Amino acid sequence: MPQRKLFSPDDKMSDILQSNYRLLPLLPRFGLTLGVGEKTARQLCREKGVDCTLMLTIFNLYTHPDYLPTVGQVAALPLEDLLEYLLSSHRYYRQDRIPHIRQHLEQIVAPRPDAEARVMLGFFDQYAREVAQHLDYEENTVFPYIRTLSQGRKSPQYDISVFERNHTDIEEKLSDLSSILIKYLTPSGDGSQENEILLDLYLLGEDIARHTLIEDKILVPLAGELEKQAQ
């Protein structure tokens, strides 16, 4: 089995992006765009004010299924930059991917019987509500708590283990919807639209799974260390 090659600061950014197209949606979350030229990851991050270590850690998590940073590597990551990245991911799900898939699904089910259309749209809307509740909880409870920890203050009413115990996998219902579409959605025409929305669902599910991993394996350990240090 070939040895896994992790991205490094001296790798050209163009090579990194070409090695895994799933990294492309991550660029705006770091305030980056295409047009990277021949710059290395280090050069581009320095130019744009991005923490290169954090970016490459996340890129490696998205690229290598068995990769996890060490405890020491996690402890060295900038907390505020990590929180901003996670918030940017939330905006991407809320404002881009979920509305896009909802609109596409509307177009696909429009010619179908009302009962069938209601079931499929209702299933997706329930998923969207669950995602919104999940993200709201993180934004209104978890992230502010962690910011308080970073200031050396600890709440007697809450700790990060509460989040860890209740951190649900919000991508599971997407898998259920994909299964329903594959089994029961008879294609209109050549089926290309149906295939496109399935690909969108799979890509969103993979993205959210990596997002969850980042929170479980980076954010939670960081918060745990801060809790030990806080009063």
Side-chain angles (χ1 to χ4, degrees):
M1 185 174 179
Q3 188 175 9
R4 179 186 65 205
K5 183 184 182 301
L6 298 178
F7 302 129
S8 77
D10 294 321
D11 289 337
K12 286 186 179 180
M13 195 68 171
S14 58
D15 292 340
I16 292 174
L17 296 175
Q18 284 183 296
S19 72
N20 181 8
Y21 66 87
R22 289 176 175 83
L23 300 178
L24 292 171
L26 275 59
L27 287 180
R29 305 180 206 181
F30 287 104
L32 301 175
T33 63
L34 294 178
V36 298
E38 298 296 319
K39 295 171 186 172
T40 65
R42 189 197 314 276
Q43 290 169 332
L44 189 66
C45 287
R46 185 179 296 139
E47 180 182 301
K48 300 296 183 180
V50 174
D51 188 276
C52 193
T53 303
L54 174 64
M55 184 189 75
L56 292 181
T57 299
I58 291 174
F59 280 10
N60 282 316
L61 277 168
Y62 267 74
T63 302
H64 305 289
D66 60 341
Y67 168 74
L68 283 177
T70 66
V71 173
Q73 288 170 331
V74 167
L77 295 174
L79 177 63
E80 192 57 43
D81 289 0
L82 173 61
L83 290 175
E84 183 50 45
Y85 167 83
L86 294 173
L87 286 168
S88 185
S89 296
H90 288 190
R91 291 190 290 270
Y92 174 71
Y93 303 141
R94 289 183 193 268
Q95 299 172 15
D96 188 313
R97 287 296 84 196
I98 289 176
H100 169 81
I101 293 172
R102 178 58 159 82
Q103 185 180 32
H104 198 175
L105 188 59
E106 283 179 359
Q107 294 170 354
I108 289 174
V109 302
R112 302 173 191 280
D114 287 346
E116 183 180 343
R118 281 198 302 272
V119 168
M120 293 187 181
L121 289 174
F123 196 93
F124 184 79
D125 289 343
Q126 176 61 32
Y127 165 75
R129 285 191 292 272
E130 289 182 16
V131 171
Q133 291 169 1
H134 181 100
L135 302 184
D136 286 344
Y137 172 69
E138 291 182 354
E139 292 171 14
N140 298 325
T141 301
V142 181
F143 295 174
Y145 168 71
I146 294 174
R147 283 196 169 101
T148 299
L149 285 177
S150 71
Q151 298 165 4
R153 292 182 285 119
K154 186 176 179 180
S155 169
Q157 287 83 35
Y158 190 84
D159 64 67
I160 200 63
S161 67
V162 176
F163 171 63
E164 191 174 12
R165 287 194 303 270
N166 298 290
H167 197 200
T168 55
D169 293 330
I170 55 175
E171 72 273 12
E172 185 177 343
K173 195 173 285 289
L174 274 183
S175 179
D176 294 339
L177 179 57
S178 299
S179 179
I180 289 172
L181 294 178
I182 288 171
K183 291 178 180 178
Y184 304 113
L185 189 62
T186 305
S188 56
D190 62 2
S192 58
Q193 283 200 54
E194 290 79 6
N195 289 340
E196 284 176 15
I197 198 169
L198 278 168
L199 287 172
D200 279 345
L201 289 171
Y202 287 131
L203 289 172
L204 177 60
E206 290 174 5
D207 194 320
I208 289 178
R210 293 288 103 183
H211 179 83
T212 301
L213 184 67
I214 290 166
E215 292 177 333
D216 288 343
K217 302 302 182 182
I218 296 181
L219 184 67
V220 169
L222 270 175
E225 286 303 311
L226 289 171
E227 282 180 337
K228 293 175 185 177
Q229 301 167 19
Q231 299 297 321

